[in-house]
Amino acid sequence: MTPDPIRVLLVEDNPGDARLIREVLSEGVGIRFDITQVPTLEDATGHLAADGRFDLILLDLSLPDARGWDTIRRAREAAPDIPIVVLSGLDDEELALQAVQAGIQDYLVKGQIEGSVLTRILRHAIERHRLSRELWERTRQLEEGERRFRALVENSSDALALVDGKGKILYARSILRVLGYGDEEYVEMDNFALVHPEDVESAQALLAKSLESPGTPIGFENRARHKDGSWRHIEGVAVNRLDDPAVGAIIANFRDVTDRKRLEDQFRQAQRLEAVGRLAGGISHDFNNLLCVIISYGELLMEALPPESPHREGIGEILKAADRAAGLTRQLLAFGRKQVLEPRVVDLNVRIGDLQKMLSRVLGEDIEVVTTLAPDLGRIRVDPGQLEQVIMNLTVNARDAMAEGGTLTIETHNVVLEAIHPQEGFPIRPGRYVMLRIQDSGTGIGPETRSHIFEPFFTTKEVGKGTGLGLATVYGIVKQNGGYIWLQSEPGQGAAFEVCFPWLDLSVEGAESAPGTVVTRISTETILLVEDEASVRGLVRKTLEASGYVVLEARDPQDGLLKAQAHQGPIDLMITDVIMPVMSGRTLADRLAHLRPTMKVLYISGYSDDVIAQHGVLETGIHFLQKPFSPELLRRKVREVLDGPGDGKA
């Protein structure tokens, strides 16, 4: 096979010299040249840009557009990766030396070389350039590999150490990120001196096992002392390479898994709490159905009795007990974070006043409660149960910090917050807020604990003494309601939690109906009632019929479909339980939508919010009433839905 010709770019403006060079090269034995000749450096640059696949450049130094050293410099810039041989009429040793130093392969004087010699020189120039490029590329690859390796080691979140057969550290990298020591500090240390005393024996056993098993990766986990004095859980792999002359050490690669260990502990605790939460959600439906019956019939009896009846007091106690039971159910659901929220316009001062007796019982006689409440305090929109939870959790937290008694101060203020909190430094939505401040005279909280105080499951109490959920729950409630919370404390100086809820502009929001208002309007609308719990269905029917409504009673969804199809007149509203056998309340409403397009829907349920949400009943625009409810609340809600806007499909 005939070898491919060597492609040469000849930059020569003298036609005679160009012809002579062509003739000389044609005498090369066994080598063919494909020569492209141009008269100027500018032409050469154009050819290189259009077709850079030249094997060699023959360059004259006296061109119309470039001379001497300028020619060499510009040619080298235009073709940094192609070998260049200068063919000059000047026998200038200094210029020749400069050319070679600039990367030119050779400097030849015209008229002093024969054709065969020129051919060999050109071939050797190409070969030298190829070898030089290969050497340069190999060197570049080695340097790049070293840089990558160094970047990998020095920027890794894992630490790397070389240890001798006795546990002495010979080399270390990235130790600062894991244990706080500089690499040079770590070298020459005794590895076992950094291991937790309780883990030294297992670490020594690991070393012995590694010495017995050269080349075998062995996993390990222990606690190591950080430079700040704390103990960190580390996890890694050790490989014995003592017999490798290039290494001569045991390679230990390890990382800090302290956070992961803490999360594992938290997860196990969360599983236990989740089990309680599932239990709470499971019993809530049946329990709320029972409470709904107790509360509703109790209030109906109370309404029917004359004011002077001696039975009113007894029924009142029944209703109080039922209310406390309903509160207990809400607390269980809150514990499992499954409660359905009902935000209302709240006067924080009134809520604190209502809780004062309970707070005194929780705190005990050795803690004095001092309240300073702003008389012109603004209103906030929040779920009252959640607000009570915030106050109780912060109060209990303060009690635990005052084991020997002290003073608890509860304050309320109207405040204006700037864009950045002046002490904490975090961003805040500027505006008007209502602040609740709870301060104790207890032991105080140090900076390390303060940095974790709102983390879920973080607790400074002994195992079994606290779940670490109290302050995390407070934080979640505050953030859910668009507020902020921060802590001010120092060891020995007590602690103050400041909670800010957005100030509610009542001129925009409008006032809510007073809780004690009873709807007395006599109505005539027709209501389809679908409820599988007979006792609840009976009391809802009696309550509505007493207010003048026409009630079509259905014991289950199938019965509800039949009643809706059989009724000749309009049906203004359907009240349906959410969870029922065979068909959900939402599915029933969808089935009836084409038959009763103007019929509005009110859903009722005693299940927790996650179960209800699965059936799409907590979506925006859906009317919902949580069990247990009183007759008064039922009447208000029914009237609200009937009189409210909507096309009847909600």
Side-chain angles (χ1 to χ4, degrees), residues 209-445:
K209 184 177 180 180
S210 180
L211 292 174
E212 295 172 357
S213 309
T216 302
I218 300 175
F220 66 89
E221 183 176 338
N222 56 42
R223 287 164 290 178
R225 188 180 68 245
H226 193 277
K227 190 175 182 179
D228 63 11
S230 63
W231 293 103
R232 305 295 175 88
H233 288 270
I234 63 170
E235 176 187 80
V237 176
V239 182
N240 180 358
R241 299 298 298 274
L242 289 167
D243 57 349
D244 186 343
V247 181
I250 297 173
I251 303 173
N253 185 294
F254 59 93
R255 64 181 64 89
D256 184 351
V257 295
T258 306
D259 290 340
R260 193 194 74 192
K261 294 285 290 184
R262 186 174 69 248
L263 288 174
E264 288 173 353
D265 292 339
Q266 292 173 358
F267 178 70
R268 283 190 290 269
Q269 189 174 21
Q271 286 181 311
R272 294 193 294 270
L273 296 177
E274 183 63 24
V276 176
R278 286 197 299 269
L279 175 63
I283 68 171
S284 65
H285 177 255
D286 291 337
F287 198 46
N288 281 332
N289 274 336
L290 295 173
L291 287 173
C292 192
V293 174
I294 295 171
I295 293 173
S296 296
Y297 277 114
E299 291 198 358
L300 288 174
L301 283 173
M302 188 70 81
E303 291 175 9
L305 290 174
E308 67 278 4
S309 173
H311 300 298
R312 293 183 67 89
E313 183 178 354
I315 296 174
E317 291 300 320
I318 292 175
L319 291 174
K320 287 180 183 178
D323 284 339
R324 287 197 296 271
L328 176 60
T329 306
R330 286 194 298 271
Q331 288 177 344
L332 285 171
L333 291 175
F335 182 79
R337 300 192 181 190
K338 299 177 184 294
Q339 72 273 36
V340 179
L341 304 183
E342 299 180 33
R344 302 175 189 169
V345 177
V346 172
D347 185 329
L348 183 56
N349 286 350
V350 172
R351 186 62 56 174
I352 292 172
D354 293 341
L355 290 175
Q356 273 195 288
K357 289 184 179 180
M358 183 186 298
L359 293 178
S360 298
R361 290 196 300 270
V362 169
L363 292 170
E365 296 180 355
D366 57 345
I367 296 179
E368 180 186 6
V369 180
V370 177
T371 57
T372 305
L373 308 180
D376 57 345
L377 193 67
R379 300 294 186 267
I380 59 177
R381 178 179 288 278
V382 66
D383 186 299
Q386 281 197 329
L387 179 60
E388 179 179 326
Q389 198 173 2
V390 168
I391 297 172
M392 292 301 297
N393 284 358
L394 292 178
T395 302
V396 170
N397 193 72
R399 179 200 63 191
D400 294 341
M402 297 184 289
E404 299 180 359
T407 302
L408 178 74
T409 303
I410 302 176
E411 304 174 19
T412 59
H413 304 279
N414 293 319
V415 296
V416 177
L417 298 183
E418 304 296 334
I420 300 294
H421 189 273
Q423 295 175 337
E424 301 296 331
F426 56 76
I428 291 174
R429 179 176 296 178
R432 302 171 67 183
Y433 290 81
V434 174
M435 175 186 285
L436 166 67
R437 191 172 194 273
I438 297 182
Q439 180 174 4
D440 64 67
S441 59
T443 55
I445 303 173

Side-chain angles (χ1 to χ4, degrees), residues 512-524:
E512 291 192 350
S513 300
T517 302
V518 178
V519 178
T520 58
R521 170 179 173 179
I522 300 299
S523 304
T524 59

Side-chain angles (χ1 to χ4, degrees), residues 20 24 40 62 133 187 256 272 285 334 345 379 398 505 513 533 554 573 627 643:
L20 180 61
V24 170
T40 66
S62 297
R133 290 295 302 174
V187 173
D256 184 351
R272 294 193 294 270
H285 177 255
V345 177
R379 300 294 186 267
D505 188 350
S513 300
E533 183 68 35
L573 173 68
K627 298 176 183 177
D643 293 341

